[in-house]
Amino acid sequence: MTQKRSAGLLLFRRTGPERAVEVLLGHMGGPFWEHRDAGAWSIPKGEYEPDEAPRDAARREFTEEIGLPPPDGPYLPLGEVKQTSGKLVTVWAVEADLDPALMQPGTFTMEWPQGSGRTEEFPELDRVAWFTPATARGRLVVPQVPFLERLLGLLAD
């Protein structure tokens, strides 16, 4: 069995006269995450096959999850992190501004309620928002926090 892989884009912007950094995160959709906040936000990302270039997959997944084209601009590699599930996630940061109100999320289908035999469609991400790094640390799913730390390290240099 081949290792599952995901790729994503972490958007960041600099705001105000002090040029403070903010990052764009997506709240995971579906009934499991509906009433959660801490640890329920993610970098927009998704799985890809071995024959697809990871950066291309990150751009494609951004469009699938957010419903908007991925931003242009230099892509800063933030490396890989192995998730608790064993999945390997690769992320790039890109500086861009995006209005969360423009989001048109992709959807997924699952049996709901579980065991009912009925399927329902849910948004991949039910909302996106900009966060300061301090707030983002508490909202991100824990295995993705290293990407935030790596971005902040790059921006500090």
Side-chain angles (χ1 to χ4, degrees), residues 1 7 17 31 41 45 56 59 73-74 83 85 104 121 126 133 153:
M1 185 172 124
W41 293 75
K45 63 172 184 47
D56 292 344
R59 291 175 52 85
Q83 307 291 272
S85 66
Q104 300 172 8
E121 198 169 86
D126 56 25

Side-chain angles (χ1 to χ4, degrees), residues 1 11 17 21 28-29 41-42 60 74 104 109 125 131 143 148 154:
M1 185 172 124
L11 268 60
V21 173
M28 292 183 276
W41 293 75
S42 176
R60 175 183 51 75
Q104 300 172 8
T109 303
L125 299 174
F131 295 101
L148 175 65
L154 284 174

Side-chain angles (χ1 to χ4, degrees), residues 67-82:
L68 299 169
D72 294 324
Y75 281 67
L76 308 173
L78 299 180
E80 298 176 332
V81 170
K82 188 176 244 181

Side-chain angles (χ1 to χ4, degrees), residues 19-100:
R19 309 279 294 146
V21 173
E22 293 181 331
V23 294
L24 185 78
L25 303 178
H27 185 268
M28 292 183 276
F32 181 76
W33 302 102
E34 187 176 10
H35 299 292
R36 298 173 184 225
D37 193 49
W41 293 75
S42 176
I43 295 166
K45 63 172 184 47
E47 289 186 10
Y48 65 96
E49 298 298 323
D51 62 343
E52 185 176 14
R55 197 178 103 161
D56 292 344
R59 291 175 52 85
R60 175 183 51 75
E61 285 294 332
F62 183 88
T63 299
E64 286 181 16
E65 295 213 345
I66 306 273
L68 299 169
D72 294 324
Y75 281 67
L76 308 173
L78 299 180
E80 298 176 332
V81 170
K82 188 176 244 181
Q83 307 291 272
T84 50
S85 66
K87 182 188 293 183
L88 197 59
V89 178
T90 306
V91 170
W92 285 263
V94 59
E95 188 167 5
D97 202 354
L98 178 145
D99 180 352

Side-chain angles (χ1 to χ4, degrees), residues 120-144:
E120 283 196 45
E121 198 169 86
F122 298 97
E124 296 267 357
L125 299 174
D126 56 25
R127 61 192 180 276
V128 294
W130 290 100
F131 295 101
T132 64
T135 302
R137 278 185 195 94
R139 299 268 169 83
L140 264 171
V141 290
V142 173
Q144 292 180 18

